[in-house]
């Protein structure tokens, strides 16, 4: 129970990173468990059985956990860490974000195509603007992110974004407000931590800057 007798919501849950030692909301961490044969396994859905081992969603931090043998310390036993663990986490997060955007599309909470996205932005239906990281900068600059925090996602390639919308390549997309969109934002933030600076950032108004 939180102060005032209110139950804490899922997003309030906090865990400690085995690398930094800092306690933070689960939304910024990746859960791992000890799987069969004592192999460390990423649990992106946070549903696998076993003691959770939490690491900040950041490539350098994950690489340090691997290099320094911190997973064994977190698990309190000898473990095997796959050589491609960090890359596997990135690949899994890409699939997670793509799948969530696809769910939003099927629920009519996401659109693609320049004109449709522009229409959603103009009518303030769009909560988040999504643009392919490898799309034309000139073309992308014609669309402005909604006001507020966490209103822009620019971490997926055109091909990856295309998978979410059932097309070969997609440059522009938009998400309506809702719980599903919040999940997309959270998972995309983790993916950004694994991919680092992709050449674009946003200012306090959600506008792209270089």
């Amino acid at each position: 129970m939180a102060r005032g007798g209110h139950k804490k919501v899922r997003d309030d849950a906090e865990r400690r990173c085995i690398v930094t030692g800092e306690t933070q909301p689960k939304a910024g961490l990746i859960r791992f468990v000890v799987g069969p044969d004592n192999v460390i396994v990423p649990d992106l859905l946070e549903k696998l059985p076993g003691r959770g081992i939490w690491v900040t969603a950041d490539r350098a931090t994950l690489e340090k956990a691997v290099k320094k043998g911190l997973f064994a310390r977190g698990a309190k036993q000898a473990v095997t860490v796959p050589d491609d663990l960090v890359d596997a986490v990135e690949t899994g997060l890409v699939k997670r974000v793509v799948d969530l955007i696809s769910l939003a599309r099927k629920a009519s909470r996401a659109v693609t195509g320049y004109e449709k996205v522009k229409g959603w932005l103009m009518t303030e239906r769009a909560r988040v603007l999504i643009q392919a990281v490898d799309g034309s900068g000139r073309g992308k600059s014609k669309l402005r992110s909604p006001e507020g925090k966490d209103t822009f996602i620019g971490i997926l390639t055109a091909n990856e974004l295309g998978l979410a919308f059932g097309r070969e390549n997609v440059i522009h997309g938009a998400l309506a407000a809702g719980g599903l969109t919040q999940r997309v934002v959270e998972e995309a933030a983790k993916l950004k931590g694994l991919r680092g600076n992709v050449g674009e950032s946003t200012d306090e108004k959600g506008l792209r800057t270089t």
Side-chain angles (χ1 to χ4, degrees), residues 161-201:
L161 197 50
L163 292 174
F165 286 98
R167 301 186 180 186
E168 183 174 354
N169 290 289
V170 165
I171 303 301
H172 310 285
L175 299 171
L180 188 54
T181 290
Q182 182 58 34
R183 290 163 62 192
V184 174
V185 169
E186 290 179 357
E187 298 301 311
K190 292 180 182 179
L191 179 58
K192 185 175 182 179
L194 269 291
R195 288 190 163 176
N197 189 343
V198 295
E200 289 186 338
S201 60

Side-chain angles (χ1 to χ4, degrees), residues 9 13 25 51 56 67 80 84 112 123 141 146 198 210:
V9 297
R51 174 187 175 87
T56 301
K67 183 178 180 180
T80 298
D84 64 345
T112 186
T123 60
S141 66
V198 295
T210 55

Side-chain angles (χ1 to χ4, degrees), residues 31-35 43 46-54:
R31 185 178 190 263
F32 296 84
V33 298
V34 179
D43 178 23
E46 300 178 7
K47 293 183 178 180
L48 293 178
R51 174 187 175 87
I53 304 169
W54 300 83

Side-chain angles (χ1 to χ4, degrees), residues 25-47:
K26 286 172 29 176
L29 298 159
I30 297 171
R31 185 178 190 263
F32 296 84
V33 298
V34 179
D37 300 321
N38 296 329
V39 175
I40 291 295
V41 179
D43 178 23
L44 300 182
L45 298 180
E46 300 178 7
K47 293 183 178 180

